[in-house]
Amino acid sequence: MLDIETLGDHGPVIPVIVLQRPERAVPLAEALLAGGVKVLEVTLRTPGALRGIEAIARALPQAVVGAGTLRSVADARAARAAGCAFGVSPGYSREVAAACRGAGLPLLPGVSTASEVMAASADGLSFLKFFPAVPAGGVAMLNALHGPFADVLFCPTGGITAANAASFLALPNVRMVGGSWLTPADAVERGDWSLITRLAREATALREHGAQ
Ligand code: 3PG
């Protein structure tokens, strides 16, 4: 089972993918891999998301594919059954965290307040998604959380772009960032894989500009 804290070893960015057509999953994942992005989050927001995850897990074993938007115990189980390497939830729920633990699915849970960080760390989780990062206070909030929670690392997601990602990655408590900017809906729709590979390559290079 993957150690969730090692996700950042693969690169600085997790693309957040909203898959409208499951048959696009493998070419999309190939385009991201070609740009050096190996960790992929496919959100469970569309009917074909689980099918897309299964296809990626089967066809591209070099990818580390996870399911995003886990909101319930049933979502956690479905993600595991689809072959996910990890799960991501938008907020913190003890039930979902326990279900992931029970299913052997490493979880990157979302938090946006000090109380939620306390709840997640009390349950043994110390790598957390900070969501929605920009509306919830951005860099200033992450700096403030670093004081009491110096042992917690974050993956800010929500409002991160190619323009502001480096300022988040430069923070001592940010291991990686997540966002949908690598997979613009119109580019996926028209199958513009070379654009997606270019965006992935630029995202991969962010580590050189940021910390760690
Ligand atoms: C999400 O859950 O939708 C992600 O946080 C992506 O947010 P973004 O579209 O602002 O990158």
Side-chain angles (χ1 to χ4, degrees), residues 6 9-10 13 22 42 48 56 60 72 75 88-90 121 129 136 138-139 148 150 159 163-165 168 182 187:
T6 65
D9 297 350
H10 299 292
V13 177
V42 178
I56 296 169
L60 302 169
S72 66
D75 287 342
V88 184
S89 58
S121 359
K129 163 168 155 158
V139 165
N164 66 11
F168 283 91
L182 275 70

Side-chain angles (χ1 to χ4, degrees), residues 21 24 27-28 31 184-196:
R21 296 209 250 159
R24 297 264 149 134
L28 172 57
D186 53 343
V188 177
E189 182 55 34
R190 62 176 189 270
D192 189 348
W193 309 130
S194 59
L195 171 64
I196 287 169

Side-chain angles (χ1 to χ4, degrees), residues 16 18 41 43 45 69 90 129 131-133 157-161 178-181:
V16 175
V18 180
E41 174 190 337
T43 59
R45 292 182 205 174
T69 324
K129 163 168 155 158
F131 176 79
T157 307
I160 309 294
T161 64
S180 61
W181 86 92

